[in-house]
Amino acid sequence: MKNFISVHDVTDINALVKKALAFKANPLMSQSLGKDKRIGLLFLNPSLRTRLSTQVAAKNLGMEAIVFNVDKEGWALEFEEGAIMSGNTVEHVKDAAPILGSYFDILCIRTFPSLKNKEDDYSELYITQFIKYAGVPVISLESATLHPLQSLTDIITIQESLQAQKITRKPKIVLTWAPHVKPLPQCVANSFAQWVNAWGEADFVITHPEDYELSEEFTKGATITHNQDEALKDADFVYVKNWSTYTDYGKIYENDPRWMLDSEKIALTNNAKVMHCLPVRRNVELSDEVLDSPNSIVTQEAANRVWAAQAVIAEILGGK
Amino acid sequence: MKNFISVHDVTDINALVKKALAFKANPLMSQSLGKDKRIGLLFLNPSLRTRLSTQVAAKNLGMEAIVFNVDKEGWALEFEEGAIMSGNTVEHVKDAAPILGSYFDILCIRTFPSLKNKEDDYSELYITQFIKYAGVPVISLESATLHPLQSLTDIITIQESLQAQKITRKPKIVLTWAPHVKPLPQCVANSFAQWVNAWGEADFVITHPEDYELSEEFTKGATITHNQDEALKDADFVYVKNWSTYTDYGKIYENDPRWMLDSEKIALTNNAKVMHCLPVRRNVELSDEVLDSPNSIVTQEAANRVWAAQAVIAEILGGK
Amino acid sequence: MKNFISVHDVTDINALVKKALAFKANPLMSQSLGKDKRIGLLFLNPSLRTRLSTQVAAKNLGMEAIVFNVDKEGWALEFEEGAIMSGNTVEHVKDAAPILGSYFDILCIRTFPSLKNKEDDYSELYITQFIKYAGVPVISLESATLHPLQSLTDIITIQESLQAQKITRKPKIVLTWAPHVKPLPQCVANSFAQWVNAWGEADFVITHPEDYELSEEFTKGATITHNQDEALKDADFVYVKNWSTYTDYGKIYENDPRWMLDSEKIALTNNAKVMHCLPVRRNVELSDEVLDSPNSIVTQEAANRVWAAQAVIAEILGGK
């Protein structure tokens, strides 16, 4: 693996999941793989789980991890080619990226979308420019349109749960939109859809109110419906997530509280396991009742972030 | 020791002090105790000494320390059970704490009081919720009402000073209020009172202007007077600290500059050693003359923060 | 070496450059030199290259590096002796520095000038106070008037480039002022002038518009001209940098875009290598055309920051 930006960087999802679960069973089994190597974690946006789990994963591999909050500790970067930099941006990615590449063996980058200009966001300019100029492997810690470490974690958690429940048939997985208080990126939903489709071992349904259609680039292969109750029927896994509109970009069209996942909705499912990438707005996206029930596997899911990151870093270090 | 939140978590203060002084003599004597273990330092409020001394202590024990400034790098946490999170808080402690617990072997947390609602602050909701949900040992790096690592450091420093001065009789220790420019928490004063009372090997006097009474929960056992000069008479140690009012909560009632500790006041003492937790407002709380004199042991005191933290972490790692 | 604040702390520049290039060839050759030692990196101002390169350098020497952003994670420090601290400053350097000295074996500090009061800035009060009170060696990560790690890097890069080009004659080095969008410190220019003059192995020319004269303390020995084209003639190295006025302090008098270094200007030189400390405002200070050409060695220069820092830390650890 050269970079880790989307599911397209992975040749065998199940093999990567297996590797991650091996690390979960034995976190320090490859403690010398990263000896005398360094991983740089650059945040253009805030992070809790992603930052800490990636630091822990790197340490488990014997690597030195250095965090740099570009937004707070550094300055505004310029990403446009040919920019006349007489404004607020202080340094061009063409200058910053190769230098960071000289300091680190692997660069990890988090950068959010503007939610203002769809073309810009969906061109993935920021992370693409980093890859172009860094000269070392780049791992996405969430980009404008995708969150691949989260999605790998999600597949890991689903497989783990299937094994624990001894389910061998094809599970039904439902990705459902949920209400929120502000416009959020489509990244987690796009990425989850992309990975579940690429994995191919589930009946996959996406449900959301009208006007919240995601890009077909990621959803193609899933069944899409505006009827949440119907979607939830017999679900084995319900993935809850808010996103803002994609078509008329970055807006909140409707925020119907009845889309919140509560116990009544769970009753429609096959006693489904409930997932969420966190942070979650309790009693807005998901009810306390559900989150505090045995149906919720959100803590297990977030804890699995470590093993996803560790598997990806190990693949890159191993040059596979 | 399971958690370290107050003096009540300590079964033998003198044994813990002895352990700390052993680390001071030989910082790396337990360098393998924390091997392949991780300690997370979460700051909901800023810190210099506490953060750095705890990082150093962890490293001395061979542990990996990871700092996370929740206030700056993360987002606002919710602590109320049942909250409908449609406001400014982004993540509930019920979700954040168990995940942090999955990433770390020990969690350290700093969280300040609001100074607006006494009941809320004195319920220690934040740190109590962290302990409830983290699933791993929690160390307070200062909470709404207490600062136990500072107080342990203070007892260490007093014992060290007594030994250096070859004083074997019961020392007189005075905690005196001092002027300041803004309303401060009662934590350091509460905690110092709690620890000196629990230690029990001193004549302990607290002095402050009227209306600055601290909670009896912590001061019970000390002599309290509003006459600073009388209090300072024959003192061996003077602990200087400002705090805002407790009864009519979080206010500055009076700020008489004559309460500043200067050389004239020191002349009333038994050539007392002067202590302060730092940061100190020079020439407001304490005069330059005193701080720059041999009476001041504030630098030694702050340097001892490392050994206090190291003793506590070692106790927790040792499962004692 | 006791401290590293300016070229005056270096007894043999060429020996230090040689050491740095030896580390570049073999980064881990002294991996046990810093074992069980700690270096503290204090930032009163933001930093990218300086912070990361110094962290990497310390790790290469087996040292633990701890970063502390005083401006963001801590609070405002007081530097004036005798200050009555009833204002915004929370802690005096007299109290903070010795404690930091107790936590670390080496302290590194970045502190920028105010650009408001020349006497204050050029007295180097901040870093001088740190050295006075820290009790351990201090390394400047850029101070009010100088940036010695950058300048050492620059000499390293020039020597490396001369060797690569097999140039054995005395090179012509030109330091040229460039336009910018806001008033910048004189540090990099002062420091580069100081080091090239002390090194003594070049024909050294400084060029800038009228009114941008630097302090003679640093420039003495260089040829100074207001005619950029004349200065650039036959140059082997062109060091591009903006600075604000020194005489009438901290101002922008003129910002003529014709001072930007572009390909036409390069044509005047001896196919000069172009240097800049970064971050650089593209198409304001330097044209894209030049920065993206083989003439630019800015990435090599920034990557060399690691070896400069490593050589300096090693000298201090070695007590030489």
Side-chain angles (χ1 to χ4, degrees):
Chain A
M1 202 186 294
K2 177 77 177 75
N3 300 299
F4 184 74
I5 307 304
S6 82
V7 79
H8 300 309
D9 295 303
V10 181
T11 46
D12 184 338
I13 295 177
N14 283 331
L16 197 58
V17 168
K18 206 175 157 189
K19 183 160 207 156
L21 290 173
F23 279 127
K24 184 167 184 171
N26 191 356
L28 303 180
M29 72 180 186
S30 302
Q31 213 176 359
S32 60
L33 188 63
K35 193 172 173 299
D36 296 329
K37 295 194 181 291
R38 263 185 307 274
I39 189 164
L41 280 62
L42 263 71
F43 291 93
L44 282 76
N45 297 93
S47 167
L48 189 152
R49 268 159 293 275
T50 298
R51 185 196 125 173
L52 294 175
S53 62
T54 310
Q55 279 185 284
V56 169
K59 298 283 179 183
N60 282 346
L61 294 166
M63 284 189 104
E64 192 57 45
I66 295 181
V67 171
F68 191 75
N69 295 308
V70 182
D71 54 338
K72 293 176 194 73
E73 299 174 285
W75 37 68
L77 292 177
E78 177 64 54
F79 290 88
E80 292 294 338
E81 298 283 342
I84 296 166
M85 292 173 60
S86 56
N88 292 321
T89 56
V90 172
E91 180 155 22
H92 202 287
V93 67
K94 287 170 87 164
D95 299 310
I99 291 153
L100 293 165
S102 84
Y103 296 159
F104 295 104
D105 299 283
I106 299 177
L107 274 185
C108 302
I109 293 153
R110 163 167 289 203
T111 160
F112 285 174
S114 65
L115 290 185
K116 283 172 192 159
N117 183 314
K118 179 158 69 173
E119 284 65 37
D120 277 7
D121 288 347
Y122 275 71
S123 76
E124 287 284 7
L125 177 67
Y126 285 24
I127 204 157
T128 306
Q129 290 282 64
F130 258 107
I131 291 171
K132 183 170 172 190
Y133 293 112
V136 295
V138 172
I139 294 174
S140 165
L141 301 176
E142 189 169 348
S143 64
T145 69
L146 294 170
H147 194 352
L149 282 173
Q150 179 64 51
S151 306
L152 170 56
T153 303
D154 297 333
I155 303 288
I156 293 166
T157 308
I158 288 168
Q159 291 209 26
E160 212 181 15
S161 178
L162 289 171
Q163 286 163 24
Q165 295 178 80
K166 298 186 203 298
I167 296 175
T168 51
R169 63 176 166 75
K170 230 178 185 186
K172 179 176 179 185
I173 300 177
V174 178
L175 167 62
T176 179
W177 183 92
H180 203 278
V181 298
K182 57 174 195 172
L184 294 192
Q186 293 97 35
C187 308
V188 170
N190 284 343
S191 194
F192 185 73
Q194 187 191 43
W195 281 71
V196 174
N197 280 324
W199 182 45
E201 303 187 12
D203 289 325
F204 184 33
V205 179
I206 302 174
T207 182
H208 52 73
E210 274 183 63
D211 301 317
Y212 283 91
E213 272 69 25
L214 295 165
S215 166
E216 279 193 16
E217 179 187 351
F218 307 114
T219 59
K220 207 175 175 181
T223 305
I224 298 171
T225 167
H226 298 151
N227 185 330
Q228 194 190 34
D229 285 359
E230 197 176 283
L232 293 173
K233 210 183 156 210
D234 297 327
D236 296 297
F237 295 91
V238 182
Y239 201 94
V240 184
K241 185 75 189 86
N242 171 271
W243 60 87
S244 60
T245 53
Y246 167 72
T247 310
D248 180 22
Y249 192 57
K251 302 209 168 37
I252 297 183
Y253 258 71
E254 184 196 347
N255 212 17
D256 187 343
R258 284 172 301 179
W259 278 81
M260 179 176 82
L261 200 82
D262 59 15
S263 299
E264 276 179 58
K265 307 252 181 194
I266 291 295
L268 302 171
T269 71
N270 180 26
N271 194 23
K273 295 299 177 191
V274 176
M275 303 174 73
H276 190 286
C277 62
L278 303 183
V280 60
R281 296 275 186 152
R282 280 178 171 252
N283 302 312
V284 175
E285 296 175 79
L286 262 160
S287 73
D288 271 347
E289 217 180 359
V290 173
L291 275 167
D292 298 335
S293 78
N295 291 82
S296 169
I297 55 173
V298 301
T299 300
Q300 173 189 342
E301 184 185 358
N304 281 341
R305 294 292 306 271
V306 172
W307 321 115
Q310 195 167 339
V312 167
I313 298 171
E315 283 287 299
I316 288 176
L317 285 177
K320 286 171 214 162
Chain B
M1 202 186 294
K2 178 75 177 74
N3 300 300
F4 184 75
I5 305 305
S6 83
V7 78
H8 300 310
D9 295 302
V10 181
T11 47
D12 185 339
I13 295 176
N14 283 331
L16 197 57
V17 168
K18 207 175 156 187
K19 183 159 209 156
L21 290 172
F23 279 126
K24 184 168 185 170
N26 191 356
L28 304 180
M29 73 180 185
S30 301
Q31 213 177 357
S32 60
L33 189 63
K35 191 171 174 300
D36 297 329
K37 293 195 182 293
R38 265 185 305 273
I39 189 165
L41 279 62
L42 263 71
F43 291 93
L44 283 76
N45 297 93
S47 167
L48 188 152
R49 269 158 291 275
T50 299
R51 187 196 122 172
L52 294 175
S53 63
T54 309
Q55 279 185 282
V56 170
K59 298 282 180 185
N60 283 345
L61 294 166
M63 282 188 105
E64 192 57 44
I66 295 181
V67 171
F68 191 76
N69 295 308
V70 182
D71 53 339
K72 293 177 195 72
E73 299 174 284
W75 38 66
L77 292 177
E78 177 64 55
F79 290 88
E80 291 294 338
E81 298 282 343
I84 296 166
M85 291 174 60
S86 56
N88 293 321
T89 55
V90 172
E91 180 155 23
H92 202 287
V93 67
K94 289 170 86 164
D95 300 310
I99 290 154
L100 293 166
S102 83
Y103 296 159
F104 295 105
D105 299 283
I106 299 177
L107 274 184
C108 301
I109 293 153
R110 163 166 288 202
T111 158
F112 285 174
S114 66
L115 291 184
K116 283 172 192 158
N117 183 315
K118 178 157 71 174
E119 284 66 39
D120 277 7
D121 288 347
Y122 275 71
S123 76
E124 288 283 9
L125 177 67
Y126 285 23
I127 204 158
T128 306
Q129 290 281 67
F130 259 107
I131 292 172
K132 184 171 171 190
Y133 293 112
V136 295
V138 172
I139 295 175
S140 165
L141 301 175
E142 189 169 349
S143 64
T145 69
L146 293 170
H147 195 352
L149 283 172
Q150 179 63 51
S151 306
L152 171 56
T153 303
D154 297 333
I155 303 288
I156 292 166
T157 308
I158 288 168
Q159 291 209 29
E160 213 181 13
S161 177
L162 288 171
Q163 286 164 23
Q165 295 180 77
K166 297 188 202 301
I167 296 174
T168 52
R169 64 175 166 75
K170 230 178 185 184
K172 180 177 178 183
I173 300 176
V174 178
L175 167 63
T176 180
W177 183 93
H180 203 278
V181 298
K182 57 175 194 171
L184 296 191
Q186 294 97 36
C187 308
V188 171
N190 283 343
S191 194
F192 185 74
Q194 187 192 43
W195 281 72
V196 174
N197 279 325
W199 183 43
E201 301 187 12
D203 289 325
F204 184 34
V205 178
I206 302 174
T207 183
H208 53 72
E210 274 183 63
D211 302 317
Y212 283 92
E213 272 70 26
L214 295 165
S215 165
E216 280 194 14
E217 181 187 349
F218 307 115
T219 60
K220 207 176 175 181
T223 304
I224 298 169
T225 168
H226 299 151
N227 185 328
Q228 193 190 35
D229 285 359
E230 197 176 283
L232 293 173
K233 210 183 154 210
D234 297 327
D236 296 296
F237 295 91
V238 182
Y239 200 94
V240 184
K241 185 74 189 83
N242 171 271
W243 60 86
S244 60
T245 54
Y246 167 72
T247 310
D248 180 22
Y249 192 58
K251 302 208 168 37
I252 297 183
Y253 259 72
E254 185 196 345
N255 213 15
D256 189 343
R258 286 172 299 179
W259 278 81
M260 179 177 81
L261 201 83
D262 60 15
S263 299
E264 276 180 58
K265 307 253 181 192
I266 291 295
L268 302 171
T269 71
N270 180 28
N271 193 24
K273 295 299 178 192
V274 176
M275 302 175 72
H276 190 287
C277 62
L278 303 182
V280 60
R281 296 276 186 151
R282 280 177 171 253
N283 302 311
V284 175
E285 296 175 78
L286 263 161
S287 73
D288 270 347
E289 217 180 359
V290 173
L291 274 167
D292 299 335
S293 78
N295 291 82
S296 169
I297 54 172
V298 300
T299 301
Q300 173 189 344
E301 185 185 357
N304 281 341
R305 294 291 307 271
V306 172
W307 321 115
Q310 196 167 341
V312 166
I313 298 170
E315 283 287 299
I316 288 176
L317 285 176
K320 285 172 211 162
Chain C
M1 202 186 295
K2 178 77 177 74
N3 300 300
F4 184 74
I5 307 305
S6 82
V7 78
H8 301 310
D9 295 303
V10 181
T11 48
D12 184 338
I13 295 177
N14 284 331
L16 197 57
V17 168
K18 205 174 156 187
K19 183 160 208 156
L21 290 173
F23 279 127
K24 184 167 184 171
N26 192 355
L28 303 179
M29 73 181 186
S30 301
Q31 213 176 1
S32 61
L33 189 63
K35 192 173 173 299
D36 296 331
K37 294 195 182 291
R38 262 186 308 273
I39 191 165
L41 279 62
L42 263 70
F43 291 93
L44 282 75
N45 296 93
S47 167
L48 187 151
R49 268 158 292 276
T50 299
R51 186 196 123 172
L52 294 175
S53 62
T54 310
Q55 279 185 283
V56 170
K59 297 284 178 184
N60 282 346
L61 294 166
M63 283 189 105
E64 192 57 45
I66 295 180
V67 171
F68 190 76
N69 295 307
V70 182
D71 53 339
K72 293 177 195 73
E73 299 175 286
W75 37 67
L77 293 177
E78 177 64 52
F79 291 88
E80 292 293 338
E81 298 282 342
I84 297 167
M85 291 173 58
S86 56
N88 292 324
T89 56
V90 172
E91 180 154 24
H92 202 287
V93 66
K94 288 170 86 162
D95 300 311
I99 291 154
L100 292 166
S102 84
Y103 296 159
F104 295 104
D105 299 283
I106 299 178
L107 274 185
C108 302
I109 293 153
R110 162 166 288 203
T111 159
F112 285 174
S114 66
L115 291 184
K116 283 172 192 159
N117 183 315
K118 179 156 71 172
E119 285 65 39
D120 277 9
D121 288 348
Y122 274 71
S123 76
E124 287 283 9
L125 177 67
Y126 284 23
I127 204 157
T128 306
Q129 290 280 65
F130 259 107
I131 292 171
K132 184 171 172 190
Y133 293 112
V136 295
V138 172
I139 295 174
S140 166
L141 301 176
E142 188 170 348
S143 65
T145 68
L146 294 170
H147 195 352
L149 282 173
Q150 179 64 52
S151 306
L152 171 56
T153 302
D154 297 334
I155 303 288
I156 292 166
T157 308
I158 288 169
Q159 291 209 27
E160 212 181 14
S161 178
L162 288 171
Q163 287 165 23
Q165 296 180 77
K166 298 187 202 299
I167 296 175
T168 52
R169 65 175 165 74
K170 231 178 186 185
K172 179 175 178 185
I173 300 176
V174 179
L175 166 62
T176 180
W177 184 91
H180 203 278
V181 299
K182 57 175 195 172
L184 294 192
Q186 294 96 36
C187 308
V188 171
N190 284 342
S191 195
F192 185 73
Q194 187 191 42
W195 281 72
V196 174
N197 280 323
W199 183 44
E201 303 187 13
D203 289 325
F204 184 33
V205 179
I206 302 175
T207 183
H208 52 73
E210 276 183 61
D211 301 318
Y212 283 92
E213 272 69 28
L214 294 165
S215 166
E216 280 193 14
E217 180 187 349
F218 307 115
T219 59
K220 208 176 173 179
T223 304
I224 298 170
T225 168
H226 299 151
N227 186 328
Q228 194 190 33
D229 285 359
E230 197 176 284
L232 292 173
K233 211 184 154 208
D234 297 327
D236 296 297
F237 294 91
V238 183
Y239 200 94
V240 184
K241 184 75 189 85
N242 170 271
W243 59 87
S244 61
T245 55
Y246 167 73
T247 310
D248 180 21
Y249 192 59
K251 302 209 167 36
I252 297 183
Y253 259 71
E254 186 197 343
N255 213 16
D256 188 342
R258 285 171 300 179
W259 278 80
M260 179 177 82
L261 200 83
D262 58 17
S263 298
E264 278 180 56
K265 307 252 181 194
I266 291 295
L268 303 171
T269 70
N270 180 26
N271 194 23
K273 295 298 178 192
V274 177
M275 302 174 73
H276 188 288
C277 62
L278 305 185
V280 59
R281 296 276 185 152
R282 280 178 172 253
N283 303 311
V284 175
E285 297 176 77
L286 263 160
S287 74
D288 270 346
E289 217 181 359
V290 173
L291 274 167
D292 298 336
S293 77
N295 291 82
S296 169
I297 54 173
V298 301
T299 300
Q300 173 189 344
E301 185 185 359
N304 281 341
R305 294 291 307 271
V306 172
W307 320 116
Q310 196 166 341
V312 167
I313 298 170
E315 283 287 299
I316 288 175
L317 285 177
K320 286 172 212 162

